[in-house]
Amino acid sequence: MTKSPVWLSERVQWIGALDPDMRSFDIILKTPNGTTYNAYAVRGSDGVAVVDTVKAECADQFFERLEAVARYDEIKVIILNHLEPDHTGALPELMRRAPQAKLYISQSAQLMIKALLNQQDVEFTSVGTGDTISLGDRTLKFLHTPYLHWPDTQCTYLEEECILFSGDVFGCHFCDERLFNDKVGDFRFAFEYYYAHIMRPFREHVINALQLIEPLPINIIAPTHGPILRDKPTSYIQRYRDLSGQGLQSEVNADEKTLLIFYISAYGSTTQMARMIRDGAEQVAGVRASLYDMEGGDSDLFVDLVEDADGILIGSPTINGDAVKPAWDLVSSFAKINVKGKLAGAFGSFGWSGEAVRMLEDRMRGLKMRLPLDGVRIKLIPSLDELEQCRKYGQEAGEHLMGVNAPRVIDMATLLASRKELIN
Amino acid sequence: MPKYNITFADIKTTVAVPRGTRIVEVAEKIGASIPFGCKENDCGDCMVDVLEGAANLSVPSPLEIDLLKQKFAKPNNRLACQAMVLGDVTVKPA
Ligand SMILES: Cc1cc2nc3c(=O)[nH]c(=O)nc-3n(C[C@H](O)[C@H](O)[C@H](O)COP(=O)(O)O)c2cc1C
Ligand SMILES: [Fe+2]
Ligand SMILES: [Fe+2]
């Protein structure tokens, strides 16, 4: 493997690293083709900018390519689009070799950089959308694109050449030394997979970022992983638009809210509860409630529904002291999307101990969902009174969803007591 | 221990809490729509608007003041993970 830099344009070179043997990334991603850590050097009449670095283990490749492009004392600027160690591993060494270079990071990265470098006196300049730095005849402009996929992430745009250094955005784990999208093997699945697992949880932030990116004339998108997108670069932006949008149009009106009720039941008791809860919720104007039996579907399908829903209730019986696996699978799948602030609740029938409901509630509270009500737990087969309790629970959940709940006064002591119920 | 009322205006819920309770502890339990992240004065996600009774919250620490500044907070903003209830107060998500 030759370790020479690769030209993107007259003034821009790829100085990244190839990591063909990597097979899993950040624990959650499979990487059958390995990955690349893309870093770039931009030469202006007044000095050189280094955009991002590479993982520590690959630093040798990066420095070898960098040395073929510039002398260390020519480096005026180091831009970090993202502080994750796969792009900042070589940074401490680069700062040692080019001590005069000034560090540019996003505003939100300020809170992280000290913890990353474990050094109190790091000097840096924080930048936001519209800020620019000049390299003489080349200008770098910043776009604040937080949470793609860390709070600190940003993109950097080289104005004179219309090159977008996009960080992890538009990236994918695909290692191919031919480097450009019109030369490498078929990497489409890797692009989609990367979006689904890394960007999708931040859908709103993707949409905000696209608003900044779409108006820019783009010749090349230069992400930090995978192929450099120089052939039809805007089609990749359009793909992010599509992926961050909805599939089929929603038939729910703007003044309505959706409540999805997922349940599973061995003997039918939790099913009866689910139906009554739905009836209760439907009594509230504006609520569109729907029922899904988890036995007949799987979380990969349901998670798409949850992403668009306003509220989610999950019903599970207690089996061997726990909620059942399909319920946990559903809740686990929430990590792929953003559920923060969605209304949530749990319910279920039980025989003697009935742990399932509180366990599901605690887990969803941990995911920062909003649980204004204690869920209903019914011992064995629901009586008429107990079914009425379910209906009322559904109605109250609906009222909270629509923001029309009656004002209420609660004592903290009873809140804590209802939590303790879990233990006995 | 004296109790005070904290009202979450967005969900029309009032909770009587012991003096010194942090806002976030209650908010999470009753499902108020205050977002929260780290709960330790780092992310700033849990910023609230204090609608009434700002003087009934513990005074902000220098660290909270720093973070509020970084987040371009308004004068009536506080972090729910930091502010402790010392009297009746009404809040909503910022
Ligand atoms: C294999 C098995 C294990 C169970 N374990 C528990 C348990 O640990 N705690 C409990 O409260 N109920 C337990 N139950 C009782 C069920 O929760 C109870 O029958 C419930 O009413 C079933 O609701 P369903 O009709 O919605 O399936 C168990 C039932 C079965 C079949
Ligand atoms: Fe990353
Ligand atoms: Fe990365």
Side-chain angles (χ1 to χ4, degrees), chain A residues 264-271 317-322 349-355 378-381:
Chain A
I264 189 160
S265 183
Y267 292 102
S269 294
T270 306
T271 306
T318 298
I319 303 280
N320 296 336
D322 199 353
S349 171
F350 68 101
W352 52 93
S353 51
E355 292 90 342
I378 303 285
K379 193 156 178 163
L380 296 169
I381 296 167

Side-chain angles (χ1 to χ4, degrees), chain A residues 85-195:
Chain A
D86 56 332
H87 310 294
T88 52
L91 176 66
E93 182 58 25
L94 178 61
M95 289 165 72
R96 258 187 300 279
R97 296 189 190 187
Q100 76 291 343
K102 289 213 156 55
L103 213 54
Y104 288 82
I105 61 177
S106 79
Q107 277 141 2
S108 344
Q110 299 176 65
L111 301 169
M112 301 174 105
I113 187 120
K114 287 180 185 142
L116 181 83
L117 296 173
N118 285 323
Q119 185 181 325
Q120 281 311 310
D121 53 347
V122 198
E123 270 185 52
F124 58 80
T125 306
S126 73
V127 287
T129 299
D131 288 341
T132 54
I133 41 180
S134 171
L135 300 173
D137 60 359
R138 287 293 180 276
T139 315
L140 292 155
K141 190 170 185 171
F142 298 97
L143 283 71
H144 187 52
T145 55
Y147 288 100
L148 298 180
H149 61 127
W150 273 20
D152 60 289
T153 47
Q154 64 175 354
C155 298
T156 305
Y157 181 65
L158 177 57
E159 282 189 324
E160 290 79 4
E161 318 211 13
C162 303
I163 296 178
L164 182 71
F165 301 104
S166 58
D168 281 346
V169 183
F170 307 120
C172 63
H173 293 307
F174 191 85
C175 181
D176 188 322
E177 66 281 296
R178 292 168 292 185
L179 224 53
F180 292 98
N181 65 329
D182 50 314
K183 297 270 188 258
V184 300
D186 193 336
F187 68 102
R188 288 176 295 180
F189 78 98
F191 187 87
E192 306 270 325
Y193 180 75
Y194 193 85
Y195 179 91

Side-chain angles (χ1 to χ4, degrees), chain A residues 399-413:
Chain A
E399 287 168 356
H400 275 279
L401 190 66
M402 298 309 295
V404 298
N405 58 294
R408 53 181 185 158
V409 180
I410 307 174
D411 195 288
M412 187 77 173

Side-chain angles (χ1 to χ4, degrees), chain A residues 107 110-111 147 340 365-366 368 370-373 400 403-413 415-416 419, chain B residues 3 5 11-18 21 25-26 28-33 35-37 42 45 67 70-71:
Chain A
Q107 277 141 2
Q110 299 176 65
L111 301 169
Y147 288 100
K340 213 167 159 176
R365 203 173 272 118
K368 305 187 177 81
R370 193 161 83 74
L371 285 86
L373 300 168
H400 275 279
V404 298
N405 58 294
R408 53 181 185 158
V409 180
I410 307 174
D411 195 288
M412 187 77 173
L415 271 183
L416 296 172
R419 305 272 83 222
Chain B
K3 288 211 170 180
N5 283 333
I11 60 161
K12 289 174 270 186
T13 300
T14 301
V15 187
V17 300
T21 304
E25 287 171 45
V26 205
E28 197 180 354
K29 287 207 175 60
I30 58 155
S33 47
F36 55 89
D42 196 35
D45 283 357
L67 190 57
Q70 275 179 23
K71 294 272 161 183

